[in-house]
Amino acid sequence: MRQRRKRESSRPKQLGIIIAAVALVGVGGWFAGSQMQSPADAAAAHRAPKAGPVTAAVERRSLTASVVAQGSVEFASPQSLLLAGPVGPPDAGSGGSGSTDAIVQRVTKAPVAGSEVKEGDVLMQVSGRPVLVLRGSVPMYRTLGPGTSGDDVKQLEQALTRLGFNSGGNTGNYGQGDAAAVSRWYRSKGFHAQEPGVADKQQLGTLEAAVTSAQQALLAAKNPGSGSEGSSSGTGTGGESGKLQLKAAQQQLDAANAALFAFQAGYGTKVPAGEVVFLPDLPARLDKVSVKIGDTPSGPVGTVTSSKVVVQAVVPSNDAKLLHKGMTAQVETPDGKKVEGELVALGDDVPKNDAGNGKDPAGTSGGGGDDASAPVPVQISIPSGELTKNANGSAKVTIKVGASNGDVLTVPIAALHTSADGQAKVQVRRGSKVVDVSVKAGLSAEGQVEVTPSGDALKEGDQVVVGQ
């Protein structure tokens, strides 16, 4: 009886377990069925979503357009130093033609790189003679002395006056006053000017003696003596002979006088072609030296530059069209130093390198081509005394070429397009639609362009299409 009751009481439990197991199997089957996909459903699930337009927000900001270039800091106005001829002989004689040929031209004191050269300074010494520096735009090309005249002589006179050795007037004609001023100037530097030497004085004496002899011969021809029978009538053999003698004596005197005059025209204190170098701007900086003691100064002896520095850079032709002389440039060196400079030359106006290599800035076109990417040289002047320690280094140049009038609406340049009628437009996303909005384009900079819409068709925060 008890066992029967026990069996009856366990039946509900067994039934509950069976029902729970059936329910669990049902739920598991439902879950498994919900996770199963057909091949089509699986492909659809992995398919990329439908592409939509790429947009960017309209901004309200100020724009500043600039041309940026990398440049190099260099000392300005490089110029080669060349001696125009030989220096005078060590004995300070002026010499006749060819008298300096036997003098060996050797550097006896070389220039010093990095030194400052002022007007009147001794640049170097050749064969014991000085090479002096004066300011002037006409290069030295000949020996200056008595009988010479021209702009180079006037330039010498002006330089001597500035140095305190007045020649008595800047006439452009080398006279005794010039010779005396040159002598005083040389003595102030510890040298003797090239004055007439022993050979010159001997030559002068010989020529003067020739004139005297010719005068005596002419006098004798005019007074042949009382023993001449035909002298009274002027006819006959004796008379004709006397005329010929007289003519020959006169010609001899004329020739002697001409030789003496020609020699005297160049007789006196001179400035040999190799003893003066004229430079357009002084003081100057001796940048490089090409000779050493013992060398023959047959080529460039060095390079001088201004003591000021400039920045040389190149920009693409399209950017060059936005630039003009007088624009302000910001110059920044790698060490963080910033200086404000001025654009002083552009394209063909940039001075050519006169330091002996004849090269323009690397890769430049001089501004003469139509290629929009062809580099055009620019030169930026730097205030005196600035960036001299950064010479031969690099620098970044930034030139502001335009700015917006305060804050304006801007969109990425990629958002702007032109319709068939030439109207500038942007595409604006409005919900699920994209609409065209006409705008007027303005300044572009930093990848953005200023746009002015008609009315309120475009406002800050709107999404414009920049790609698909």
Side-chain angles (χ1 to χ4, degrees), residues 100-455:
T100 61
D101 292 347
I103 303 302
V104 178
Q105 303 284 307
R106 299 288 186 189
V107 175
T108 51
K109 186 175 182 181
V112 179
S115 60
E116 185 182 56
V117 181
K118 302 183 294 296
E119 186 164 41
D121 281 355
V122 177
L123 174 70
M124 59 189 292
Q125 291 183 33
V126 177
S127 301
R129 298 291 296 165
V131 177
L132 300 141
V133 180
L134 295 177
R135 192 177 82 222
S137 58
V138 180
M140 190 76 167
Y141 65 94
R142 60 174 175 169
T143 293
L144 301 181
T148 58
S149 61
D151 291 338
D152 52 349
V153 174
K154 188 172 184 178
Q155 187 172 257
L156 172 66
E157 294 171 331
Q158 292 170 338
L160 290 171
T161 300
R162 287 193 298 270
L163 293 171
F165 304 100
N166 197 328
S167 62
N170 302 328
T171 63
N173 297 309
Y174 195 106
Q176 292 304 314
D178 299 305
V182 167
S183 294
R184 295 197 304 273
W185 174 39
Y186 268 70
R187 283 197 299 271
S188 73
K189 295 298 178 181
F191 297 91
H192 292 289
Q194 186 177 340
E195 298 171 345
V198 175
D200 292 309
K201 293 175 181 178
Q202 289 176 345
Q203 179 70 6
L204 179 62
T206 299
L207 293 173
E208 289 175 337
V211 171
T212 300
S213 296
Q215 289 173 336
Q216 292 174 346
L218 179 60
L219 184 60
K222 288 181 178 180
N223 301 284
S226 59
S228 177
E229 296 180 355
S231 60
S232 60
S233 63
T235 62
T237 306
E240 291 298 329
S241 176
K243 290 181 179 179
L244 291 174
Q245 289 177 356
L246 182 62
K247 183 178 180 181
Q250 184 63 58
Q251 290 175 340
Q252 185 178 4
L253 178 60
D254 291 342
N257 278 324
L260 178 61
F261 178 79
F263 184 81
Q264 286 177 329
Y267 184 83
T269 301
K270 300 178 182 179
V271 181
E275 292 192 9
V276 166
V277 174
F278 284 109
L279 295 175
D281 296 303
L282 288 172
R285 174 183 170 274
L286 190 54
D287 186 54
K288 297 177 182 178
V289 172
S290 307
V291 294
K292 61 184 182 298
I293 293 177
D295 287 349
T296 299
S298 57
V301 298
T303 302
V304 292
T305 67
S306 167
S307 56
K308 294 178 59 177
V309 297
V310 295
V311 176
Q312 304 278 14
V314 293
V315 299
S317 291
N318 277 346
D319 288 348
K321 295 175 183 177
L322 305 174
L323 305 177
H324 60 80
K325 293 180 184 179
M327 298 181 83
T328 299
Q330 296 294 328
V331 178
E332 183 176 0
T333 57
D335 59 4
K337 188 170 185 179
K338 297 181 180 180
V339 175
E340 188 174 277
E342 180 184 349
L343 176 61
V344 293
L346 175 69
D348 293 334
D349 293 333
V350 174
K352 298 296 186 294
N353 189 344
D354 188 29
N357 55 25
K359 296 180 180 178
D360 293 335
T364 61
S365 68
D370 295 329
D371 186 354
S373 63
V376 176
V378 296
Q379 186 179 87
I380 310 299
S381 70
I382 302 298
S384 181
E386 297 285 354
L387 299 187
T388 54
K389 294 183 179 179
N390 298 90
N392 301 318
S394 62
K396 184 176 77 171
V397 178
T398 304
I399 305 174
K400 180 179 175 182
V401 295
S404 62
N405 186 16
D407 291 343
V408 294
L409 289 179
T410 68
V411 299
I413 293 177
L416 194 66
H417 66 277
T418 304
S419 60
D421 60 358
Q423 175 65 52
K425 294 184 178 183
V426 294
Q427 292 184 312
V428 184
R429 189 167 186 173
R430 309 280 193 202
S432 61
K433 296 182 179 180
V434 174
V435 298
D436 282 340
V437 174
S438 297
V439 296
K440 181 180 179 182
L443 180 73
S444 63
E446 304 168 20
Q448 297 280 316
V449 59
E450 175 186 355
V451 291
T452 304
S454 300

